[in-house]
Amino acid sequence: MQEWLAPAMFVFAFALIFTGYPVAFSLGGTALIFSFLGVAMGFFDWALLFAFPERVFGVMSNFVLLAVPFFIFMGTMLEKAKLADDLLTTIGKLFGPLRGGLGLAVVFVGALLAAATGVVGASVVAMGLISLPVMQRYGYSTALSTGTICAAGTLGQIIPPSVVLVVLADQLGISVGDLFVGSLIPGLSLAGMYAVFVAGVAVLNPDAAPALPASERDIPWKTLLRQVLLVLVPPLLLILVVLGSIFAGVATPTEAGALGATGALLLAAIHRRLTMKALRATMDETAKLTSMVVFLLIGSTAFALVFRGLNGDLWIEELLTGLPGGKVGLLVVANLAIFILGFFIDFFEIAFIIIPLLAPAARILGIDMVWFGVMIGLNLQTSFLTPPFGFSLFYLRGVAPKEISTAQIYKGVLPFIGIQLIALLLIMLFPEMVTGLLD
Amino acid sequence: MERWVRCAASVDRGVDGIGRAVGWLTLLMVLVGSYNAIMRYSGRFFGWNLASNAYIELQWYLFSLVFLLGAAYTARQNRHVRVDVLYGRLSTKGRAWVDMLGTLLLMLPFSIFALVVSWPSVRNSWIVREASPDEGGLPRYPIKAMILVAFFLLVLQGLSSLTRTIAVLRSDGDEPPEPGDGLPEEEGSVDGALGMTGPSAEGAGGDPGRGI
């Protein structure tokens, strides 16, 4: 009977989560219900639960998690400063007259926004509102344009700095700086692969990605170049300072995040967009998202406390280290589990519930944890693209004109999901892509 | 019922007020964090050392306040993340059922449990006036007490949301009831308590923060 309780708890928690009640409280409630069951059956000690406030206090004083609100603040502020709109408009004009140029502009701006803001929803919405109509007007294939926009928007997950990577590093017990460094080349390669794909389509099927007529560029070259510089330099500087100081080891990610948030305020002020309304919206969003993330963590902490009390951790560990194929077996199971769960649930849930179960087994099998983290990050990023519940798709659906069917959007992301899987395979075959920049 | 709904509305107003205040704390946190970062550089490169444990601790005290005090506000704004695979397809009443049972059986018991198990350790900390282990640090006992405040606010917010969901279930048809007097505008009404969960409903405008 006893050995059934932990697996039952796991299944029960997932069943509750799928009812749609907030995950944090579903997990907390599950913890409570199963601690009662455990006590009633006589093999769970109440005293264990009094560790809960210490765990909460541990979250409060966790220096790594402190980076989460900073990066949220930075990204939201830049979003409210309409950074994406400026970039898309000017870069679009610059690249537009090339064949496939608009698509490339979307990928390029997507990568840039990823490093600056990392807010997937905001990037996709901006691209859907600004670039999509232009692409439609000049005859881009609907599948290509929607797919490119959805995919480029998700780059924020994997190109550092990113809140996902901060949370992953915390859960895997590795340094955030290392995970940022490790994900840089995979993230940029991914953007590169998107660009190659778009360019390839433009070459092989010119009708799908035509060049814009010169008349679309309504301003002289000189003015355009000046605009490009004006809009490109400030965010590039900000990215350089934030990432540079982390990579050079001068600042911790938390410090760099705080400076980045201040930098975002300055950038908004320079563009005269630091209005009271924008500031309030940024603060409100930061408060809500931070609470959401941390309470999810608190709920899963309660869950983990009881799950461990019922020896669930041993059960999972045995299960995962005893897989046929050892390391490879674990990697296959981990990737499949995350990929499949990614169809239905959000990456924060995966990070807080699944990762703590996978991490000890990975460590026992001697897997490089930074590499493991990047692989998980890449896999989670894919979940933003997979129908029917990929967030990127939802956001684009929300802003795309009605003539574009949901099926077309799904069709559009398919090649990009393929690219994701290739990238995942690449970092498995060539771990140096991750570890190369680390000492 | 009407009276209960009015009580719920005043809880909501209080929680909204706290939420607005918490917003300003995020800005303060950014400024304190930047100050700490700059002071550590200047200490390293110029030998001035203006960084102090008090400021370093202030930074995570503010972080703690943001999520502890913000939790009820986030619940009120319906921003605690949900998996809406099924929930998104339910009718208003169906959602109200999920929310009522969830609040009654999961959220409220969990929050009360958190209060019960945290009480002894917060009480101890308060009795001995627990200080920071680091020199010049801030006293620990007030921030630990905030754990109790957070879960107490969650209990209040849970009761308020329970009232609203019951009001939805008791109303005729599938439409939310007329907002009574004292109910905050649009978002505050029953829809706000139950309404959209992910980007599915209003994609763009809804909640661009999801998926950071």
PDB file of all heavy atoms in Angstrom, chain A residues 103-104 106-108 111 144 147-155 158 187-200 378 381-382 385 415-417 419-420 423:
ATOM      1  N   GLY A 103      10.865  38.389 -44.279  1.00  0.00           N
ATOM      2  CA  GLY A 103      10.970  37.217 -43.414  1.00  0.00           C
ATOM      3  C   GLY A 103      12.257  37.249 -42.620  1.00  0.00           C
ATOM      4  O   GLY A 103      12.278  36.988 -41.419  1.00  0.00           O
ATOM      5  N   LEU A 104      13.353  37.616 -43.295  1.00  0.00           N
ATOM      6  CA  LEU A 104      14.638  37.708 -42.603  1.00  0.00           C
ATOM      7  C   LEU A 104      14.603  38.804 -41.545  1.00  0.00           C
ATOM      8  O   LEU A 104      15.159  38.649 -40.452  1.00  0.00           O
ATOM      9  CB  LEU A 104      15.758  37.983 -43.607  1.00  0.00           C
ATOM     10  CG  LEU A 104      16.069  36.832 -44.564  1.00  0.00           C
ATOM     11  CD1 LEU A 104      17.110  37.245 -45.594  1.00  0.00           C
ATOM     12  CD2 LEU A 104      16.559  35.621 -43.775  1.00  0.00           C
ATOM     13  N   VAL A 106      12.083  39.704 -39.834  1.00  0.00           N
ATOM     14  CA  VAL A 106      11.348  39.182 -38.686  1.00  0.00           C
ATOM     15  C   VAL A 106      12.255  38.292 -37.824  1.00  0.00           C
ATOM     16  O   VAL A 106      12.288  38.405 -36.606  1.00  0.00           O
ATOM     17  CB  VAL A 106      10.091  38.405 -39.150  1.00  0.00           C
ATOM     18  CG1 VAL A 106       9.537  37.539 -38.035  1.00  0.00           C
ATOM     19  CG2 VAL A 106       9.023  39.375 -39.638  1.00  0.00           C
ATOM     20  N   VAL A 107      13.038  37.441 -38.476  1.00  0.00           N
ATOM     21  CA  VAL A 107      13.942  36.570 -37.715  1.00  0.00           C
ATOM     22  C   VAL A 107      14.984  37.408 -36.972  1.00  0.00           C
ATOM     23  O   VAL A 107      15.255  37.201 -35.788  1.00  0.00           O
ATOM     24  CB  VAL A 107      14.644  35.553 -38.642  1.00  0.00           C
ATOM     25  CG1 VAL A 107      15.696  34.763 -37.880  1.00  0.00           C
ATOM     26  CG2 VAL A 107      13.622  34.605 -39.251  1.00  0.00           C
ATOM     27  N   PHE A 108      15.561  38.387 -37.683  1.00  0.00           N
ATOM     28  CA  PHE A 108      16.598  39.220 -37.086  1.00  0.00           C
ATOM     29  C   PHE A 108      16.043  39.995 -35.884  1.00  0.00           C
ATOM     30  O   PHE A 108      16.616  39.983 -34.793  1.00  0.00           O
ATOM     31  CB  PHE A 108      17.134  40.183 -38.157  1.00  0.00           C
ATOM     32  CG  PHE A 108      18.158  41.150 -37.655  1.00  0.00           C
ATOM     33  CD1 PHE A 108      19.437  40.708 -37.317  1.00  0.00           C
ATOM     34  CD2 PHE A 108      17.857  42.498 -37.503  1.00  0.00           C
ATOM     35  CE1 PHE A 108      20.383  41.598 -36.836  1.00  0.00           C
ATOM     36  CE2 PHE A 108      18.799  43.391 -37.028  1.00  0.00           C
ATOM     37  CZ  PHE A 108      20.069  42.947 -36.690  1.00  0.00           C
ATOM     38  N   ALA A 111      15.354  37.741 -32.919  1.00  0.00           N
ATOM     39  CA  ALA A 111      16.537  37.396 -32.130  1.00  0.00           C
ATOM     40  C   ALA A 111      16.954  38.566 -31.253  1.00  0.00           C
ATOM     41  O   ALA A 111      17.334  38.393 -30.084  1.00  0.00           O
ATOM     42  CB  ALA A 111      17.677  36.997 -33.059  1.00  0.00           C
ATOM     43  N   LEU A 144       4.262  30.661 -44.642  1.00  0.00           N
ATOM     44  CA  LEU A 144       5.633  31.096 -44.358  1.00  0.00           C
ATOM     45  C   LEU A 144       5.637  32.280 -43.389  1.00  0.00           C
ATOM     46  O   LEU A 144       6.394  32.301 -42.415  1.00  0.00           O
ATOM     47  CB  LEU A 144       6.355  31.482 -45.652  1.00  0.00           C
ATOM     48  CG  LEU A 144       7.788  31.965 -45.437  1.00  0.00           C
ATOM     49  CD1 LEU A 144       8.664  30.820 -44.961  1.00  0.00           C
ATOM     50  CD2 LEU A 144       8.369  32.586 -46.703  1.00  0.00           C
ATOM     51  N   GLY A 147       4.374  31.210 -39.831  1.00  0.00           N
ATOM     52  CA  GLY A 147       5.348  30.315 -39.201  1.00  0.00           C
ATOM     53  C   GLY A 147       6.580  31.060 -38.740  1.00  0.00           C
ATOM     54  O   GLY A 147       7.063  30.866 -37.616  1.00  0.00           O
ATOM     55  N   THR A 148       7.085  31.949 -39.606  1.00  0.00           N
ATOM     56  CA  THR A 148       8.283  32.702 -39.244  1.00  0.00           C
ATOM     57  C   THR A 148       8.022  33.561 -38.008  1.00  0.00           C
ATOM     58  O   THR A 148       8.849  33.634 -37.101  1.00  0.00           O
ATOM     59  CB  THR A 148       8.713  33.612 -40.419  1.00  0.00           C
ATOM     60  OG1 THR A 148       8.739  32.833 -41.606  1.00  0.00           O
ATOM     61  CG2 THR A 148      10.076  34.209 -40.173  1.00  0.00           C
ATOM     62  N   ILE A 149       6.858  34.208 -37.981  1.00  0.00           N
ATOM     63  CA  ILE A 149       6.548  35.092 -36.855  1.00  0.00           C
ATOM     64  C   ILE A 149       6.444  34.297 -35.550  1.00  0.00           C
ATOM     65  O   ILE A 149       7.032  34.667 -34.533  1.00  0.00           O
ATOM     66  CB  ILE A 149       5.248  35.876 -37.137  1.00  0.00           C
ATOM     67  CG1 ILE A 149       5.515  36.922 -38.219  1.00  0.00           C
ATOM     68  CG2 ILE A 149       4.716  36.530 -35.876  1.00  0.00           C
ATOM     69  CD1 ILE A 149       4.284  37.638 -38.701  1.00  0.00           C
ATOM     70  N   CYS A 150       5.707  33.193 -35.598  1.00  0.00           N
ATOM     71  CA  CYS A 150       5.561  32.385 -34.375  1.00  0.00           C
ATOM     72  C   CYS A 150       6.919  31.902 -33.879  1.00  0.00           C
ATOM     73  O   CYS A 150       7.229  31.977 -32.689  1.00  0.00           O
ATOM     74  CB  CYS A 150       4.675  31.170 -34.637  1.00  0.00           C
ATOM     75  SG  CYS A 150       2.951  31.580 -34.813  1.00  0.00           S
ATOM     76  N   ALA A 151       7.724  31.398 -34.807  1.00  0.00           N
ATOM     77  CA  ALA A 151       9.003  30.822 -34.402  1.00  0.00           C
ATOM     78  C   ALA A 151       9.957  31.897 -33.892  1.00  0.00           C
ATOM     79  O   ALA A 151      10.573  31.747 -32.831  1.00  0.00           O
ATOM     80  CB  ALA A 151       9.619  30.066 -35.571  1.00  0.00           C
ATOM     81  N   ALA A 152      10.066  33.011 -34.634  1.00  0.00           N
ATOM     82  CA  ALA A 152      10.995  34.063 -34.216  1.00  0.00           C
ATOM     83  C   ALA A 152      10.612  34.599 -32.836  1.00  0.00           C
ATOM     84  O   ALA A 152      11.474  34.952 -32.038  1.00  0.00           O
ATOM     85  CB  ALA A 152      11.000  35.196 -35.240  1.00  0.00           C
ATOM     86  N   GLY A 153       9.306  34.623 -32.556  1.00  0.00           N
ATOM     87  CA  GLY A 153       8.858  35.119 -31.257  1.00  0.00           C
ATOM     88  C   GLY A 153       9.321  34.261 -30.091  1.00  0.00           C
ATOM     89  O   GLY A 153       9.542  34.758 -28.998  1.00  0.00           O
ATOM     90  N   THR A 154       9.478  32.948 -30.346  1.00  0.00           N
ATOM     91  CA  THR A 154       9.844  32.073 -29.225  1.00  0.00           C
ATOM     92  C   THR A 154      11.335  32.106 -28.907  1.00  0.00           C
ATOM     93  O   THR A 154      11.755  31.520 -27.921  1.00  0.00           O
ATOM     94  CB  THR A 154       9.492  30.605 -29.529  1.00  0.00           C
ATOM     95  OG1 THR A 154      10.251  30.189 -30.662  1.00  0.00           O
ATOM     96  CG2 THR A 154       8.027  30.429 -29.812  1.00  0.00           C
ATOM     97  N   LEU A 155      12.115  32.779 -29.741  1.00  0.00           N
ATOM     98  CA  LEU A 155      13.564  32.803 -29.494  1.00  0.00           C
ATOM     99  C   LEU A 155      13.894  33.363 -28.111  1.00  0.00           C
ATOM    100  O   LEU A 155      14.919  33.035 -27.523  1.00  0.00           O
ATOM    101  CB  LEU A 155      14.278  33.617 -30.577  1.00  0.00           C
ATOM    102  CG  LEU A 155      14.393  32.943 -31.946  1.00  0.00           C
ATOM    103  CD1 LEU A 155      14.923  33.918 -32.974  1.00  0.00           C
ATOM    104  CD2 LEU A 155      15.296  31.713 -31.856  1.00  0.00           C
ATOM    105  N   ILE A 158      15.193  30.988 -25.389  1.00  0.00           N
ATOM    106  CA  ILE A 158      16.462  30.266 -25.408  1.00  0.00           C
ATOM    107  C   ILE A 158      17.656  31.204 -25.562  1.00  0.00           C
ATOM    108  O   ILE A 158      18.766  30.868 -25.168  1.00  0.00           O
ATOM    109  CB  ILE A 158      16.430  29.171 -26.521  1.00  0.00           C
ATOM    110  CG1 ILE A 158      17.586  28.182 -26.370  1.00  0.00           C
ATOM    111  CG2 ILE A 158      16.405  29.767 -27.907  1.00  0.00           C
ATOM    112  CD1 ILE A 158      17.435  27.223 -25.224  1.00  0.00           C
ATOM    113  N   GLY A 187      21.171  29.129 -29.175  1.00  0.00           N
ATOM    114  CA  GLY A 187      20.121  30.109 -29.454  1.00  0.00           C
ATOM    115  C   GLY A 187      20.374  30.832 -30.762  1.00  0.00           C
ATOM    116  O   GLY A 187      19.483  30.968 -31.613  1.00  0.00           O
ATOM    117  N   LEU A 188      21.618  31.291 -30.935  1.00  0.00           N
ATOM    118  CA  LEU A 188      21.942  32.014 -32.163  1.00  0.00           C
ATOM    119  C   LEU A 188      21.903  31.075 -33.371  1.00  0.00           C
ATOM    120  O   LEU A 188      21.454  31.477 -34.449  1.00  0.00           O
ATOM    121  CB  LEU A 188      23.313  32.683 -32.039  1.00  0.00           C
ATOM    122  CG  LEU A 188      23.387  33.823 -31.011  1.00  0.00           C
ATOM    123  CD1 LEU A 188      24.790  34.409 -30.940  1.00  0.00           C
ATOM    124  CD2 LEU A 188      22.370  34.920 -31.335  1.00  0.00           C
ATOM    125  N   SER A 189      22.355  29.830 -33.188  1.00  0.00           N
ATOM    126  CA  SER A 189      22.298  28.884 -34.313  1.00  0.00           C
ATOM    127  C   SER A 189      20.863  28.667 -34.749  1.00  0.00           C
ATOM    128  O   SER A 189      20.568  28.558 -35.943  1.00  0.00           O
ATOM    129  CB  SER A 189      22.879  27.524 -33.929  1.00  0.00           C
ATOM    130  OG  SER A 189      24.056  27.660 -33.218  1.00  0.00           O
ATOM    131  N   LEU A 190      19.987  28.588 -33.765  1.00  0.00           N
ATOM    132  CA  LEU A 190      18.584  28.381 -34.069  1.00  0.00           C
ATOM    133  C   LEU A 190      18.057  29.531 -34.922  1.00  0.00           C
ATOM    134  O   LEU A 190      17.399  29.317 -35.952  1.00  0.00           O
ATOM    135  CB  LEU A 190      17.808  28.282 -32.755  1.00  0.00           C
ATOM    136  CG  LEU A 190      16.432  27.685 -32.822  1.00  0.00           C
ATOM    137  CD1 LEU A 190      16.491  26.285 -33.384  1.00  0.00           C
ATOM    138  CD2 LEU A 190      15.827  27.661 -31.425  1.00  0.00           C
ATOM    139  N   ALA A 191      18.373  30.771 -34.510  1.00  0.00           N
ATOM    140  CA  ALA A 191      17.958  31.935 -35.292  1.00  0.00           C
ATOM    141  C   ALA A 191      18.554  31.832 -36.697  1.00  0.00           C
ATOM    142  O   ALA A 191      17.881  32.116 -37.693  1.00  0.00           O
ATOM    143  CB  ALA A 191      18.396  33.221 -34.604  1.00  0.00           C
ATOM    144  N   GLY A 192      19.811  31.400 -36.769  1.00  0.00           N
ATOM    145  CA  GLY A 192      20.467  31.238 -38.061  1.00  0.00           C
ATOM    146  C   GLY A 192      19.752  30.211 -38.928  1.00  0.00           C
ATOM    147  O   GLY A 192      19.542  30.418 -40.122  1.00  0.00           O
ATOM    148  N   MET A 193      19.325  29.108 -38.297  1.00  0.00           N
ATOM    149  CA  MET A 193      18.630  28.076 -39.061  1.00  0.00           C
ATOM    150  C   MET A 193      17.282  28.573 -39.567  1.00  0.00           C
ATOM    151  O   MET A 193      16.875  28.252 -40.694  1.00  0.00           O
ATOM    152  CB  MET A 193      18.457  26.816 -38.204  1.00  0.00           C
ATOM    153  CG  MET A 193      19.768  26.063 -37.989  1.00  0.00           C
ATOM    154  SD  MET A 193      19.709  24.927 -36.582  1.00  0.00           S
ATOM    155  CE  MET A 193      18.727  23.602 -37.251  1.00  0.00           C
ATOM    156  N   TYR A 194      16.603  29.362 -38.771  1.00  0.00           N
ATOM    157  CA  TYR A 194      15.339  29.961 -39.242  1.00  0.00           C
ATOM    158  C   TYR A 194      15.625  30.808 -40.481  1.00  0.00           C
ATOM    159  O   TYR A 194      14.903  30.754 -41.484  1.00  0.00           O
ATOM    160  CB  TYR A 194      14.727  30.890 -38.189  1.00  0.00           C
ATOM    161  CG  TYR A 194      14.179  30.254 -36.943  1.00  0.00           C
ATOM    162  CD1 TYR A 194      13.798  31.058 -35.861  1.00  0.00           C
ATOM    163  CD2 TYR A 194      14.011  28.880 -36.820  1.00  0.00           C
ATOM    164  CE1 TYR A 194      13.285  30.520 -34.707  1.00  0.00           C
ATOM    165  CE2 TYR A 194      13.500  28.335 -35.665  1.00  0.00           C
ATOM    166  CZ  TYR A 194      13.143  29.162 -34.605  1.00  0.00           C
ATOM    167  OH  TYR A 194      12.633  28.639 -33.454  1.00  0.00           O
ATOM    168  N   ALA A 195      16.689  31.626 -40.383  1.00  0.00           N
ATOM    169  CA  ALA A 195      17.019  32.543 -41.477  1.00  0.00           C
ATOM    170  C   ALA A 195      17.356  31.747 -42.736  1.00  0.00           C
ATOM    171  O   ALA A 195      16.897  32.095 -43.832  1.00  0.00           O
ATOM    172  CB  ALA A 195      18.181  33.449 -41.078  1.00  0.00           C
ATOM    173  N   VAL A 196      18.135  30.678 -42.576  1.00  0.00           N
ATOM    174  CA  VAL A 196      18.499  29.854 -43.732  1.00  0.00           C
ATOM    175  C   VAL A 196      17.237  29.265 -44.371  1.00  0.00           C
ATOM    176  O   VAL A 196      17.093  29.256 -45.595  1.00  0.00           O
ATOM    177  CB  VAL A 196      19.473  28.725 -43.310  1.00  0.00           C
ATOM    178  CG1 VAL A 196      19.617  27.695 -44.427  1.00  0.00           C
ATOM    179  CG2 VAL A 196      20.824  29.319 -42.944  1.00  0.00           C
ATOM    180  N   PHE A 197      16.325  28.836 -43.518  1.00  0.00           N
ATOM    181  CA  PHE A 197      15.084  28.273 -44.047  1.00  0.00           C
ATOM    182  C   PHE A 197      14.315  29.315 -44.861  1.00  0.00           C
ATOM    183  O   PHE A 197      13.868  29.046 -45.983  1.00  0.00           O
ATOM    184  CB  PHE A 197      14.219  27.731 -42.906  1.00  0.00           C
ATOM    185  CG  PHE A 197      12.862  27.273 -43.346  1.00  0.00           C
ATOM    186  CD1 PHE A 197      12.711  26.081 -44.062  1.00  0.00           C
ATOM    187  CD2 PHE A 197      11.725  28.038 -43.079  1.00  0.00           C
ATOM    188  CE1 PHE A 197      11.465  25.666 -44.494  1.00  0.00           C
ATOM    189  CE2 PHE A 197      10.477  27.627 -43.507  1.00  0.00           C
ATOM    190  CZ  PHE A 197      10.341  26.434 -44.207  1.00  0.00           C
ATOM    191  N   VAL A 198      14.165  30.523 -44.290  1.00  0.00           N
ATOM    192  CA  VAL A 198      13.428  31.577 -44.987  1.00  0.00           C
ATOM    193  C   VAL A 198      14.114  31.910 -46.306  1.00  0.00           C
ATOM    194  O   VAL A 198      13.470  32.003 -47.359  1.00  0.00           O
ATOM    195  CB  VAL A 198      13.314  32.842 -44.104  1.00  0.00           C
ATOM    196  CG1 VAL A 198      12.714  33.994 -44.902  1.00  0.00           C
ATOM    197  CG2 VAL A 198      12.469  32.560 -42.872  1.00  0.00           C
ATOM    198  N   ALA A 199      15.432  32.049 -46.264  1.00  0.00           N
ATOM    199  CA  ALA A 199      16.178  32.364 -47.481  1.00  0.00           C
ATOM    200  C   ALA A 199      16.022  31.233 -48.498  1.00  0.00           C
ATOM    201  O   ALA A 199      15.840  31.486 -49.696  1.00  0.00           O
ATOM    202  CB  ALA A 199      17.650  32.586 -47.152  1.00  0.00           C
ATOM    203  N   GLY A 200      16.063  29.999 -48.002  1.00  0.00           N
ATOM    204  CA  GLY A 200      15.909  28.850 -48.889  1.00  0.00           C
ATOM    205  C   GLY A 200      14.567  28.874 -49.604  1.00  0.00           C
ATOM    206  O   GLY A 200      14.494  28.668 -50.821  1.00  0.00           O
ATOM    207  N   LEU A 378      15.721  24.203 -24.847  1.00  0.00           N
ATOM    208  CA  LEU A 378      15.400  24.128 -26.270  1.00  0.00           C
ATOM    209  C   LEU A 378      14.109  23.335 -26.484  1.00  0.00           C
ATOM    210  O   LEU A 378      13.250  23.707 -27.287  1.00  0.00           O
ATOM    211  CB  LEU A 378      16.566  23.434 -26.989  1.00  0.00           C
ATOM    212  CG  LEU A 378      16.702  23.638 -28.482  1.00  0.00           C
ATOM    213  CD1 LEU A 378      16.832  25.109 -28.809  1.00  0.00           C
ATOM    214  CD2 LEU A 378      17.916  22.887 -28.997  1.00  0.00           C
ATOM    215  N   GLN A 381      11.184  25.367 -25.364  1.00  0.00           N
ATOM    216  CA  GLN A 381      10.892  26.430 -26.323  1.00  0.00           C
ATOM    217  C   GLN A 381      10.014  25.882 -27.444  1.00  0.00           C
ATOM    218  O   GLN A 381       9.117  26.553 -27.934  1.00  0.00           O
ATOM    219  CB  GLN A 381      12.208  26.964 -26.874  1.00  0.00           C
ATOM    220  CG  GLN A 381      12.040  28.122 -27.820  1.00  0.00           C
ATOM    221  CD  GLN A 381      13.037  28.037 -28.942  1.00  0.00           C
ATOM    222  OE1 GLN A 381      13.992  27.264 -28.889  1.00  0.00           O
ATOM    223  NE2 GLN A 381      12.815  28.817 -29.964  1.00  0.00           N
ATOM    224  N   THR A 382      10.284  24.635 -27.840  1.00  0.00           N
ATOM    225  CA  THR A 382       9.491  24.015 -28.896  1.00  0.00           C
ATOM    226  C   THR A 382       8.015  23.955 -28.509  1.00  0.00           C
ATOM    227  O   THR A 382       7.138  24.095 -29.347  1.00  0.00           O
ATOM    228  CB  THR A 382      10.007  22.594 -29.181  1.00  0.00           C
ATOM    229  OG1 THR A 382      11.414  22.654 -29.327  1.00  0.00           O
ATOM    230  CG2 THR A 382       9.391  22.018 -30.426  1.00  0.00           C
ATOM    231  N   LEU A 385       5.503  26.255 -29.797  1.00  0.00           N
ATOM    232  CA  LEU A 385       5.147  26.210 -31.213  1.00  0.00           C
ATOM    233  C   LEU A 385       4.207  25.063 -31.551  1.00  0.00           C
ATOM    234  O   LEU A 385       3.653  25.016 -32.641  1.00  0.00           O
ATOM    235  CB  LEU A 385       6.426  26.017 -32.037  1.00  0.00           C
ATOM    236  CG  LEU A 385       7.311  27.233 -32.212  1.00  0.00           C
ATOM    237  CD1 LEU A 385       8.565  26.848 -32.969  1.00  0.00           C
ATOM    238  CD2 LEU A 385       6.556  28.304 -32.972  1.00  0.00           C
ATOM    239  N   PRO A 415       7.321  23.355 -40.423  1.00  0.00           N
ATOM    240  CA  PRO A 415       8.757  23.285 -40.744  1.00  0.00           C
ATOM    241  C   PRO A 415       9.630  23.801 -39.593  1.00  0.00           C
ATOM    242  O   PRO A 415      10.734  23.292 -39.389  1.00  0.00           O
ATOM    243  CB  PRO A 415       8.892  24.176 -41.979  1.00  0.00           C
ATOM    244  CG  PRO A 415       7.597  24.890 -42.142  1.00  0.00           C
ATOM    245  CD  PRO A 415       6.559  24.127 -41.411  1.00  0.00           C
ATOM    246  N   PHE A 416       9.113  24.769 -38.844  1.00  0.00           N
ATOM    247  CA  PHE A 416       9.922  25.319 -37.758  1.00  0.00           C
ATOM    248  C   PHE A 416      10.033  24.329 -36.596  1.00  0.00           C
ATOM    249  O   PHE A 416      11.054  24.278 -35.918  1.00  0.00           O
ATOM    250  CB  PHE A 416       9.366  26.663 -37.295  1.00  0.00           C
ATOM    251  CG  PHE A 416       9.579  27.744 -38.313  1.00  0.00           C
ATOM    252  CD1 PHE A 416       8.607  28.032 -39.257  1.00  0.00           C
ATOM    253  CD2 PHE A 416      10.777  28.443 -38.360  1.00  0.00           C
ATOM    254  CE1 PHE A 416       8.815  29.004 -40.220  1.00  0.00           C
ATOM    255  CE2 PHE A 416      10.998  29.415 -39.319  1.00  0.00           C
ATOM    256  CZ  PHE A 416      10.017  29.698 -40.249  1.00  0.00           C
ATOM    257  N   ILE A 417       8.971  23.545 -36.381  1.00  0.00           N
ATOM    258  CA  ILE A 417       9.068  22.492 -35.371  1.00  0.00           C
ATOM    259  C   ILE A 417      10.136  21.493 -35.807  1.00  0.00           C
ATOM    260  O   ILE A 417      10.941  21.017 -35.002  1.00  0.00           O
ATOM    261  CB  ILE A 417       7.706  21.807 -35.158  1.00  0.00           C
ATOM    262  CG1 ILE A 417       6.701  22.812 -34.608  1.00  0.00           C
ATOM    263  CG2 ILE A 417       7.832  20.617 -34.209  1.00  0.00           C
ATOM    264  CD1 ILE A 417       5.285  22.287 -34.489  1.00  0.00           C
ATOM    265  N   ILE A 419      12.747  22.253 -37.578  1.00  0.00           N
ATOM    266  CA  ILE A 419      14.043  22.894 -37.315  1.00  0.00           C
ATOM    267  C   ILE A 419      14.412  22.744 -35.838  1.00  0.00           C
ATOM    268  O   ILE A 419      15.565  22.469 -35.493  1.00  0.00           O
ATOM    269  CB  ILE A 419      13.989  24.382 -37.717  1.00  0.00           C
ATOM    270  CG1 ILE A 419      13.829  24.501 -39.238  1.00  0.00           C
ATOM    271  CG2 ILE A 419      15.245  25.112 -37.252  1.00  0.00           C
ATOM    272  CD1 ILE A 419      13.693  25.922 -39.738  1.00  0.00           C
ATOM    273  N   GLN A 420      13.402  22.905 -34.973  1.00  0.00           N
ATOM    274  CA  GLN A 420      13.654  22.746 -33.529  1.00  0.00           C
ATOM    275  C   GLN A 420      14.213  21.359 -33.232  1.00  0.00           C
ATOM    276  O   GLN A 420      15.158  21.213 -32.468  1.00  0.00           O
ATOM    277  CB  GLN A 420      12.353  22.901 -32.731  1.00  0.00           C
ATOM    278  CG  GLN A 420      11.719  24.249 -32.760  1.00  0.00           C
ATOM    279  CD  GLN A 420      12.534  25.280 -32.048  1.00  0.00           C
ATOM    280  OE1 GLN A 420      12.845  26.318 -32.615  1.00  0.00           O
ATOM    281  NE2 GLN A 420      12.939  25.001 -30.814  1.00  0.00           N
ATOM    282  N   ALA A 423      17.719  21.069 -34.307  1.00  0.00           N
ATOM    283  CA  ALA A 423      18.615  21.766 -33.379  1.00  0.00           C
ATOM    284  C   ALA A 423      18.833  20.928 -32.122  1.00  0.00           C
ATOM    285  O   ALA A 423      19.947  20.829 -31.600  1.00  0.00           O
ATOM    286  CB  ALA A 423      18.037  23.132 -33.018  1.00  0.00           C
TER     287      ALA A 423
END
